[in-house]
Amino acid sequence: MKKTIIASLLLGLFAGSATAAQAIVGEANLSQTNVSQTNVSQAMAQAQIGAQAQIGASASQTAQFSDWLPQVMQRFNSLPEVQAQEARRQQALMSIEAADKAVYNPELGLGYQNASEDTYSLDISQTIDWGDKRGVATRIAQLESEILLSNIVLERNQMLADRLLALTSQSQARKALEFQRQQFEIAKAQLDIARQRTEVGDMSQVELQLMQLDVASNAADYALAEQVSIAADGAVLALFGEYDLPFEDFVNALSVQASHIQVSPELPALKSAYQQVLVAKVSTEQAKADSSADPSISLSAEREGEENKFGVGVSIPLQIRNNYSEAIAVANQGVVIAEQTYLAAERTLLQQQKQFSLSIPRLTQRYQDWSELVLSSGSKAASSLSQQWQAGDINTSDYLQSQRQMSSSYLAGLTLESALYENWLNWMGASGQLEGYLNSQLSTQGAASASVQVN
């Protein structure tokens, strides 16, 4: 009786492209009478070596943003919420034009008086913007427009960070799903070997039952990984309107230099709050302008019977009952509030920056340590364990425990990679630097590609 044996590496992730290694399929038609367990071990060891070579190849790959980011950005820019931001941007620019118009329009008055001699009158009056209300309103509209534009930039970065985080989570879930699928296939193949060994008296029924329980456990892990992957696809679908988007891991391109930026009012995360301070200061000027006594000049023409009359008039408001000093005081207090609000936002951002600068280098170092250990010992340990178990040098319970330990090592690496993405994307989105950084990477890679083509 012949059996088909599938050998696959337990560990399939390495820093670089950080993608799951494909299952290495080695088929060996084994006869129960003329093929020994040593041949099975050699077949599995060869499969392990092939998988290790594939890991080394993936380690040399680097993230190429140009291969997937333009398509993702095109889809991002076509989203309704992003289109709404563009409409808000146009609205902000139009508000500046609306504010830069005259405050007062001329007034036209017509009069008729029925008396012994009919009297007709015509009056034209114009209030003069003595306090420069128009100039102050224009400056406020400009600042408010800049605030809106700053908010749009920050919102855009945060939206982009959320969507890239969803794509990275989807990628991680798919890698975990592929890994659990491989584990399930390996467990079934090992169960076939266990049955052969039991038939020839090389294994006990208890050990065979342990192998069967291991297959059941792997089947459950595979099913749970499928559910996580489906949920990750759903999250991408909710954010993009589709779930099958181009994406490549870029864990090696995560820049720690972003933690060394100087927190300043020009940073998108603080620009809006800083401009609120400027608006508050201009608002004090607006309060003064609103309280200014704007005079009105009028010209009048009147015809009474056969007599024509002309007149010139000037009217000035008398600020006796209300000199608007309280309104000016309120505006001055608004400056204090805006300044304190900015300082609070700056403190929060500094705390986020400090947390980022402390966590990212440590996560990166631990991830590199993990990768080096996986590359140096992962495949060797898997191959050695398989050979020793088939040769009967280690018992089944120890073998299964070691298999679980290596499986946990792989999943721990996925967790580290997810933590790197989450920390980096959250900081870059919160500080408003993400889109600028990605565009700079595209420009750099585009220039490098052009240089290679010329050479």
Side-chain angles (χ1 to χ4, degrees):
M1 183 177 62
K2 295 184 178 181
K3 299 285 184 178
T4 300
I5 299 190
I6 302 175
S8 177
L9 181 63
L10 294 178
L11 300 175
L13 181 71
F14 179 73
S17 64
T19 56
Q22 298 295 326
I24 306 299
V25 180
E27 296 186 353
N29 295 324
L30 302 178
S31 171
Q32 201 171 14
T33 58
N34 58 9
V35 179
S36 66
Q37 295 296 338
T38 303
N39 294 334
V40 179
S41 300
Q42 291 175 351
M44 296 190 72
Q46 290 175 358
Q48 301 290 354
I49 294 172
Q52 183 180 10
Q54 187 172 0
I55 294 176
S58 66
S60 63
Q61 297 175 0
T62 57
Q64 295 294 323
F65 289 103
S66 58
D67 293 340
W68 60 273
L69 186 58
Q71 296 92 320
V72 170
M73 290 302 300
Q74 182 179 5
R75 186 68 186 90
F76 175 75
N77 289 325
S78 64
L79 293 173
E81 48 267 49
V82 178
Q83 293 295 315
Q85 287 181 339
E86 183 60 30
R88 289 167 58 200
R89 185 194 303 272
Q90 296 297 325
Q91 184 184 43
L93 297 177
M94 293 171 63
S95 66
I96 299 176
E97 298 180 4
D100 192 23
K101 298 294 182 181
V103 178
Y104 302 110
N105 285 311
E107 296 182 7
L108 176 64
L110 298 174
Y112 169 74
Q113 183 177 0
N114 185 12
S116 57
E117 292 185 357
D118 291 342
T119 301
Y120 301 89
S121 63
L122 173 66
D123 299 309
I124 297 178
S125 63
Q126 173 67 59
T127 301
I128 300 174
D129 185 12
W130 196 263
D132 194 21
K133 293 182 176 65
R134 173 182 177 181
V136 173
T138 302
R139 288 195 292 274
I140 289 180
Q142 289 173 340
L143 289 172
E144 289 179 344
S145 175
E146 291 178 7
I147 290 172
L148 179 58
L149 296 178
S150 298
N151 288 336
I152 289 175
V153 169
L154 186 58
E155 290 172 9
R156 183 180 174 88
N157 275 270
Q158 291 171 344
M159 290 168 58
L160 183 58
D162 291 340
R163 281 154 179 79
L164 289 183
L165 191 58
L167 287 175
T168 59
S169 298
Q170 182 189 48
S171 175
Q172 300 299 89
R174 288 178 175 179
K175 284 186 284 189
L177 175 61
E178 175 62 18
F179 175 75
Q180 295 295 355
R181 185 193 67 78
Q182 293 179 28
Q183 292 293 88
F184 181 51
E185 295 296 331
I186 290 172
K188 290 194 298 183
Q190 297 292 60
L191 180 60
D192 287 342
I193 296 176
R195 285 170 177 161
Q196 294 179 34
R197 292 180 59 185
T198 304
E199 290 175 1
V200 298
D202 192 29
M203 279 185 61
S204 66
Q205 285 293 332
V206 173
E207 290 178 306
L208 179 60
Q209 291 171 356
L210 288 177
M211 295 296 294
Q212 291 174 339
L213 290 175
D214 183 63
V215 172
S217 177
N218 278 281
D221 291 340
Y222 184 26
L224 292 175
E226 281 183 319
Q227 296 304 310
V228 173
S229 182
I230 291 172
D233 288 343
V236 173
L237 178 64
L239 292 172
F240 280 100
E242 56 183 303
Y243 70 91
D244 194 11
L245 290 168
F247 178 77
E248 290 183 15
D249 289 314
F250 57 97
V251 66
N252 281 351
L254 303 185
S255 174
V256 184
Q257 294 178 353
S259 63
H260 301 301
I261 64 165
Q262 181 179 1
V263 175
S264 68
E266 293 302 317
L267 201 63
L270 290 179
K271 192 171 184 180
S272 176
Y274 180 74
Q275 287 168 334
Q276 291 284 3
V277 177
L278 300 181
V279 168
K281 292 181 178 179
V282 177
S283 295
T284 61
E285 299 179 15
Q286 185 180 37
K288 295 176 182 178
D290 291 340
S291 65
S292 65
D294 294 338
S296 297
I297 299 177
S298 62
L299 299 176
S300 62
E302 183 177 321
R303 181 177 179 83
E304 184 176 355
E306 298 297 329
E307 184 179 0
N308 295 326
K309 300 178 181 179
F310 298 93
V312 178
V314 177
S315 63
I316 301 176
L318 299 178
Q319 297 179 347
I320 298 175
R321 301 183 62 187
N322 184 4
N323 61 3
Y324 301 97
S325 59
E326 291 79 5
I328 296 175
V330 170
N332 287 329
Q333 195 64 25
V335 175
V336 177
I337 295 173
E339 289 176 343
Q340 295 304 315
T341 302
Y342 169 79
L343 292 175
E346 184 182 48
R347 184 181 67 251
T348 300
L349 192 63
L350 284 170
Q351 291 173 345
Q352 292 176 341
Q353 182 195 38
K354 184 176 181 181
Q355 181 180 359
F356 175 81
S357 62
L358 289 174
S359 62
I360 281 292
R362 289 165 172 78
L363 280 173
T364 302
Q365 184 60 51
R366 300 294 84 76
Y367 183 71
Q368 291 174 351
D369 293 342
W370 173 85
S371 301
E372 292 172 0
L373 292 172
V374 167
L375 186 62
S376 62
S377 61
S379 60
K380 294 179 182 179
S383 176
S384 177
L385 276 172
S386 177
Q387 294 176 15
Q388 291 181 29
W389 174 73
Q390 292 178 37
D393 294 337
I394 58 174
N395 59 44
T396 300
S397 60
D398 289 341
Y399 170 72
L400 293 178
Q401 184 178 359
S402 300
Q403 292 277 70
R404 283 292 174 181
Q405 183 177 356
M406 287 187 290
S407 177
S408 298
S409 175
Y410 175 84
L411 297 176
L414 282 183
T415 303
L416 275 175
E417 189 174 322
S418 298
L420 272 170
Y421 279 126
E422 184 177 358
N423 277 266
W424 190 82
L425 287 171
N426 284 340
W427 162 251
M428 295 295 284
S431 60
Q433 305 175 81
L434 180 59
E435 188 172 8
Y437 173 80
L438 294 177
N439 289 334
S440 67
Q441 291 296 307
L442 285 175
S443 300
T444 301
Q445 292 182 5
S449 300
S451 176
V452 170
Q453 292 176 359
V454 170
N455 294 334

